[in-house]
Amino acid sequence: MKYLDEYRDQRIARALAGEIAQITTRPWVLMEICGGQTHTIMRYGIDELLPRGIELVHGPGCPVCVTPLETVDKAIELALRPDVILVSYGDMLRVPGSRSDLFRAKAQGADVRIAYSPSEAVKIARSHPDRKVVFLAIGFETTAPANAMAAWQAQRGGLANLFLLVSHVLVPPAIRALMAGSTNRVQGFIAPGHVCTVVGCKDYDDLVHDFRVPIVVGGFEPVDILQAVLMLVRQLEAGEAKLENQYVRSVSYEGNLPAQKIMAEVFEVADQKWRGIGMIPQSGLRLREEYAAYDASRVFGLNEVTVDEPAECISALVLQGLKKPTDCSAFGRRCTPENPLGAPMVSTEGACAAYYHYRRHAAAD
Ligand code: SF4
């Protein structure tokens, strides 16, 4: 535990915060992309350690939050079929669809099972050859290699009863869309370390160049976040825009090449709808034609429908860093983790859940 302790050391954290305060001469708006980083910031009060001028806004990097409502509806529709076993990460069960959620479908008798990795879905498919097993394959670049491996194993092993309901999103196109938006306020990004462990830093070079925006790949512990903020503020104060890597203990420039190889073999880049935000060109992954037999949307002939978010939920603005969860009139009242109106209140990486767990008392004052 010594290693982790060092990244949570209060003295180091305070020294970094002091250094940030010393070099900050004007306000800066920084965005941490990943919901895991948001939870660290809220849990350890990092935003409160920073000088007044540094504002941290929270990005769209919560995979459960950005999975489209329509995908949740499709998963529920499949789960309610008597011949289907629907396998999902646990976080997805309480995410509201347009009328219900997977948890309620399970209560109605649907065979919904929680898995910690797609390989569990492969095992379930092998042990239930008479059932159709659908894995809800969501997430960023982080989970894509393991999900790709499940389809690859099914194809190589002649497993005909495993299907993937895919909703994969990619971080760099989302940053591009944020930067190109007319309402953007963000002047520097902390890129998600776990995503970059897979794809490396290289995919962020173009963004730095095209928008002249500093990007620092950051980790998930308090000292990681503060170091990443310091690196960003140094650049901004010096008028620079560079790609830097704070999370060197895990991330290389090229990333994990075998993981990228299996992703490229099974998936191809496609336009993708993000929950609350809308369609972002070339920001998702879909199964390649060679893996069409494992694509649940195609095999089950699921209809493409468009469903609106509840009017009260401002998650689209929260996910783009334009509003804080506490700006939402439903926060902590009509929307709680037990009765969520929107996905960011459900997920362990959701910004609304982070504020609910660590800041709701302050918000109520
Ligand atoms: S508090 Fe609930 S309703 Fe408000 S933005 Fe967050 S998830 Fe949506």
Side-chain angles (χ1 to χ4, degrees):
M1 289 300 289
K2 183 171 179 288
Y3 196 60
L4 252 192
D5 286 352
E6 287 168 357
Y7 284 91
R8 294 177 183 176
D9 188 308
Q10 277 194 36
R11 280 168 311 165
I12 300 174
R14 286 192 190 284
L16 285 166
E19 208 175 327
I20 294 166
Q22 254 181 6
I23 65 167
T24 303
T25 63
R26 48 169 288 195
W28 300 110
V29 179
L30 312 178
M31 173 180 277
E32 82 283 355
I33 290 290
C34 175
Q37 293 166 330
T38 305
H39 275 251
T40 299
I41 289 164
M42 291 295 117
R43 181 174 176 192
Y44 292 96
I46 290 172
D47 52 332
E48 293 171 341
L49 267 183
L50 294 173
R52 258 179 198 281
I54 306 293
E55 184 185 357
L56 295 179
V57 296
H58 319 306
C62 157
V64 169
C65 305
V66 297
T67 299
L69 201 66
E70 292 84 350
T71 304
V72 180
D73 282 355
K74 283 181 183 178
I76 295 167
E77 184 188 330
L78 286 172
L80 289 169
R81 296 189 186 198
D83 56 341
V84 166
I85 300 173
L86 194 288
V87 183
S88 168
Y89 297 119
D91 267 15
M92 284 304 294
L93 262 65
R94 291 205 74 92
V95 176
S98 60
R99 289 181 302 279
S100 183
D101 57 47
L102 282 168
F103 202 67
R104 279 184 234 175
K106 188 171 169 62
Q108 287 166 20
D111 194 346
V112 179
R113 304 189 191 185
I114 294 173
Y116 293 95
S117 83
S119 64
E120 291 177 56
V122 174
K123 279 188 201 151
I124 294 170
R126 281 199 186 117
S127 55
H128 293 82
D130 54 325
R131 307 278 300 280
K132 292 170 178 150
V133 176
V134 178
F135 181 66
L136 185 46
I138 68 148
F140 285 88
E141 294 92 325
T142 330
T143 50
N147 290 343
M149 182 57 82
W152 187 88
Q153 282 180 315
Q155 193 184 65
R156 294 299 180 282
L159 200 55
N161 65 328
L162 179 72
F163 309 94
L164 270 57
L165 182 57
V166 177
S167 181
H168 263 300
V169 281
L170 303 171
V171 173
I175 295 182
R176 183 170 291 279
L178 284 172
M179 287 303 296
S182 57
T183 49
N184 176 57
R185 301 169 56 225
V186 181
Q187 294 159 295
F189 289 92
I190 304 178
H194 50 4
V195 162
C196 297
T197 300
V198 174
V199 296
C201 303
K202 61 185 184 312
D203 291 4
Y204 294 80
D205 268 335
D206 285 350
L207 291 164
V208 170
H209 177 262
D210 294 351
F211 296 101
R212 266 202 58 76
V213 63
I215 298 181
V216 173
V217 176
F220 300 87
E221 295 298 330
V223 167
D224 287 323
I225 305 276
L226 283 161
Q227 260 179 350
V229 170
L230 177 60
M231 291 161 84
L232 283 173
V233 174
R234 268 198 197 123
Q235 286 196 46
L236 288 163
E237 290 284 345
E240 294 174 342
K242 296 185 292 192
L243 173 62
E244 292 185 293
N245 181 11
Q246 178 276 328
Y247 203 35
V248 286
R249 65 187 186 277
S250 182
V251 173
S252 65
Y253 184 74
E254 293 295 338
N256 182 331
L257 298 180
Q260 292 168 32
K261 187 166 177 244
I262 188 76
M263 279 168 68
E265 172 164 341
V266 174
F267 292 123
E268 61 188 3
V269 175
D271 294 348
Q272 172 71 28
K273 185 173 180 187
W274 294 55
R275 185 169 188 164
I277 298 174
M279 190 65 79
I280 302 180
Q282 301 290 284
S283 70
L285 296 173
R286 69 178 172 211
L287 286 165
R288 287 187 180 279
E289 199 58 40
E290 300 89 295
Y291 287 86
Y294 304 94
D295 186 339
S297 288
R298 295 204 212 184
V299 172
F300 291 91
L302 299 173
N303 291 327
E304 287 301 332
V305 287
T306 306
V307 193
D308 291 329
E309 291 288 334
E312 209 174 4
C313 179
I314 61 162
S315 61
L317 299 174
V318 173
L319 290 166
Q320 295 174 78
L322 299 172
K323 293 274 185 195
K324 296 276 165 63
T326 42
D327 296 328
C328 175
S329 60
F331 175 84
R333 298 180 177 89
R334 287 171 301 287
C335 183
T336 63
E338 291 73 34
N339 291 298
L341 279 181
M345 187 54 98
V346 186
S347 168
T348 50
E349 294 189 55
C352 299
Y355 274 73
Y356 186 84
H357 290 304
Y358 305 117
R359 294 293 163 83
R360 71 179 186 276
H361 305 298
D365 289 345

